[in-house]
Amino acid sequence: MSKLRAGLIGLGAMGRNHARVLSNLDGVELVGVVDPAGDTTGTLRAPVVGEVSDLIALGVDYAVVACPTALHESIGLELAANGVCALIEKPLAQSVEAATTLVEAFEAAGLVAGVGHIERYNPSLQSLRTRLEAGELGEVFQVVTRRQGPFPHRIADVGVVLDLATHDIDLTAWVTGREYTSVSAHTVSRSGRLHEDMVAVVGQLSDGTMVNHLVNWLSPLKERSTVVTGDKGCFVADTLTADLTFYANAAIDTEWEALRAFRGVAEGDMVRFAIPKREPLLVEHERFRDAVEGKESDIVTLRQGLRTVDVAGAVLRSAAEGVTVAIPPVARS
């Protein structure tokens, strides 16, 4: 069986990681890369060209789009118009309007297209989702995420909400299987850039679950934490180390009649799960390759990526206007 011919657009920090994985991915041949600066590392085996049209001329089955977010719309539309499937780095686009345009273009062309929300392939979050689906936490009360670290100088066209908080928005909806219904947010900019570099979000999901996101580019401490609290305890996923820990809720017994109606909690057993730890980016590429080959595969669809951009837009609108923003449910076809 012949290999799929893949292309890559963008050789920044994330693009170089995509190049590394594509160069060794079973069933795939990296046949070309687009970057105006060329191959600054001198390590690529594939030719580097200056324009997307040059890559298309090489003959590619699909392309990975890892260029600045502001270019996703124009490049994605060019790929769709030429019959090329695409895996587009998150966020899907810089606005709901641009994201919608991309969704409609790829759907109209009947092409496989996905968004690179890599946290869905983190072993700790995959295990967490499976355990929530199995009811191991009982009723879910709250999802809290913390994502902080130093400013990445490679990011210039969007702020921390679209670049980082979209990770937390997507993973929260995915692990719980619920949609956002409202958000309230505050942002600040302390680094002298045009866009925000810190955000605090309080939101609600469709089943009433409370969500909290703290995201910033202003901390020397790098942290990637997801805590899900429920009736039976809480799960803590560290996506930097791919560890998942469960803290059990030990029942509180009391003989005091006045407190008997209070459902209290107590510290119970702690379990750290042993889970296989494959590289999330490799798994993401394997799933997208399978989808292009026509196999059943759980990629992040463009419509799911659009929903995340929609929620991120609501976060920015809430912060700008100082109001809670309601998010309408997704229209079902």
Side-chain angles (χ1 to χ4, degrees):
M1 185 174 178
S2 60
K3 291 185 175 182
L4 289 173
R5 294 173 62 83
L8 171 64
I9 301 167
L11 271 178
M14 197 63 199
R16 289 193 292 273
N17 280 316
H18 282 295
R20 170 180 56 81
V21 173
L22 283 169
S23 296
N24 298 284
L25 186 62
D26 290 341
V28 173
E29 179 185 3
L30 179 60
V31 298
V33 178
V34 179
D35 197 296
D39 179 14
T40 58
T41 66
T43 59
L44 288 176
R45 298 192 295 269
V48 180
V49 296
E51 302 290 340
V52 175
S53 58
D54 298 326
L55 177 66
I56 294 171
L58 292 174
V60 290
D61 297 300
Y62 74 92
V64 177
V65 180
C67 57
T69 303
L71 300 176
H72 286 187
E73 181 184 12
S74 60
I75 289 175
L77 291 177
E78 186 173 358
L79 293 173
N82 285 276
V84 179
C85 300
L87 173 59
I88 303 172
E89 260 303 337
K90 65 86 209 158
L92 174 56
Q94 77 275 22
S95 68
V96 171
E97 293 76 18
T100 301
T101 300
L102 286 170
V103 169
E104 293 173 347
F106 279 96
E107 286 184 350
L111 295 167
V112 175
V115 187
H117 282 291
I118 194 171
E119 291 285 42
R120 291 203 191 188
Y121 306 101
N122 189 288
S124 63
L125 293 177
Q126 290 195 326
S127 180
L128 170 58
R129 183 174 188 250
T130 298
R131 294 176 185 281
L132 291 179
E133 288 178 335
E136 293 185 19
L137 201 57
E139 182 184 357
V140 175
F141 303 149
Q142 183 186 51
V143 181
V144 176
T145 70
R146 294 194 304 273
R147 186 175 299 269
Q148 59 183 346
F151 171 65
H153 294 283
R154 61 188 173 82
I155 304 297
D157 57 341
V158 295
V160 75
V161 171
L162 275 168
D163 185 68
L164 278 191
T166 45
H167 279 302
D168 298 300
I169 292 168
D170 180 75
L171 75 85
T172 297
W174 178 69
V175 298
T176 62
R178 298 290 184 268
E179 294 181 1
Y180 284 76
T181 57
S182 68
V183 290
S184 179
H186 294 278
T187 60
V188 297
S189 181
R190 293 289 184 265
S191 59
R193 299 173 63 252
L194 177 63
H195 302 287
E196 79 288 345
D197 44 35
M198 176 180 283
V199 64
V201 183
V202 176
Q204 189 172 54
L205 303 183
S206 56
D207 63 348
T209 297
M210 177 190 296
V211 299
N212 302 82
H213 304 309
L214 295 175
V215 189
N216 76 69
W217 277 325
L218 299 176
S219 172
L221 166 67
K222 189 170 184 179
E223 184 180 27
R224 303 286 185 270
S225 171
T226 299
V227 181
V228 183
T229 302
D231 192 43
K232 299 179 181 179
C234 74
F235 284 108
V236 179
D238 184 330
T239 55
L240 283 176
T241 61
D243 287 326
L244 179 65
T245 305
F246 176 62
Y247 295 85
N249 174 19
I252 293 180
D253 292 324
T254 177
E255 296 180 359
W256 189 0
E257 185 68 30
L259 293 180
R260 225 167 242 177
F262 174 72
R263 293 174 58 194
V265 297
E267 186 175 349
D269 295 333
M270 181 191 78
V271 180
R272 176 167 292 174
F273 299 102
I275 51 180
K277 296 182 179 181
R278 301 187 68 224
E279 182 186 3
L281 187 62
L282 173 59
V283 177
E284 178 181 79
H285 274 277
E286 289 175 344
R287 301 290 170 80
F288 192 75
R289 172 204 62 198
D290 292 348
V292 174
E293 290 178 340
K295 300 174 183 176
E296 187 173 343
S297 186
D298 60 344
I299 65 172
V300 184
T301 67
L302 293 198
R303 285 205 172 270
Q304 291 170 340
L306 166 61
R307 179 62 172 181
T308 297
V309 172
D310 190 19
V311 176
V315 168
L316 290 170
R317 192 159 63 252
S318 171
E321 299 175 7
V323 297
T324 297
V325 176
I327 305 169
V330 175
R332 304 297 180 186
S333 57

